[in-house]
Structures are given as C-alpha cells and as structure tokens.
Amino acid sequence: MSRHLFMARHTESTLSQQLFQEVNAYRRSRGASQLPRHAGLDQLAREHSEYLRKHRGTFSLYGKNVSHIGAETRARVAFLRYQMDTCSENVAFTFNRGSETQTAKAVAQLWQNSANHEVAMANNTWTDTGVGTVVDKDGAVFATQIFGVRRNFQMVEKTAPTHTTTFH
C-alpha cells in the first residue's frame, strides 16, 4: 500500500469517526439517544462515498456532487445482511477544512441546516448507524451516513416484512 493511500485511508477513518461523534453529540442535544456504529452500515456508507467520488460532477441533483443512486439496493442489503427493517441516508459534499474535526463539524452543520437531513439525524427510532467518508486528492470530501432500525427478532413473522427507505 502506498504511503499516500495509507494516509488517505487514515484520514478518512478519523474523519468518519469524528463525523459519527458530531452526529451523536447533535442527537444528544436534541434529546435523542446515541447510536452505535454498525460495521456493515459503515461499509455500505463508505462504498457509496467512494461511488460519489468516482462519479463526482455527473449527477443531476444536489449540486452535481452527491446522489442517492443505489439507495434502494443499500437498504435491501441492510435488510438481508444486517436485519435492518428501515433505513435512511444523508449524503454531503464539502472540502477539507484543515482538520478532521473541523471538516466533520462542517458536514454535520450542513445536515443540521437542512430540514430533511436534520430530521434523519434527530430521529430517535434509529437503532444503528454507519458512516463513510472519502477524501479526494484535491480535498473534496464525500460523506454518507446510513441510519437503520434493527429488526426486532421477537416480532419477526414467518413471511418477510416490508421495509422502508428514506433519502435525504
């Protein structure tokens, strides 16, 4: 692994952790419970952020740098692999603000300032979350946070329940 790739992955890992902490701090300030990170949702979020980086500038919505393309597939994977009945995701694009902490604060602030994103962040029904960030060579930051409601195994019927997905 090249040193540049190692440093980029380290930065992204630290940035994802900082963003996770920022969102949980915001949730606490709104009276919602802290969410645990879910490794499977983390992977789905990181893969989507990488997709956004690879296709940056080509989307027709949300400023051309972010999209929810594939969200239904991510929700289906979360349902089948990780027993998440309901999922929602927030996506964001910004530029590196000099430190992972400042960049994470900027992303969290973007979501707080958007009514739909803020609702997803503060929703107290979520049981798990995953965060994935990717930083491009020019400092462009792509962030995805997936929220999920873990299936209540005591309530599962023999037929597969329906699941819902919301996108922000």
Side-chain angles (χ1 to χ4, degrees), residues 16-17 49-50 58 63 78 88-89 102 108 125 142 150 168:
S16 293
Q17 181 61 28
S49 292
E50 178 60 26
T58 65
S88 181
E89 71 179 25
Q102 289 305 107
T125 61
F142 302 86
R150 198 174 329 115
H168 303 289

Side-chain angles (χ1 to χ4, degrees), residues 141-157:
V141 176
F142 302 86
T144 304
Q145 182 163 19
I146 299 174
F147 301 94
V149 176
R150 198 174 329 115
R151 186 173 307 133
N152 181 345
F153 291 102
Q154 296 172 339
M155 301 299 287
V156 173
E157 298 176 9

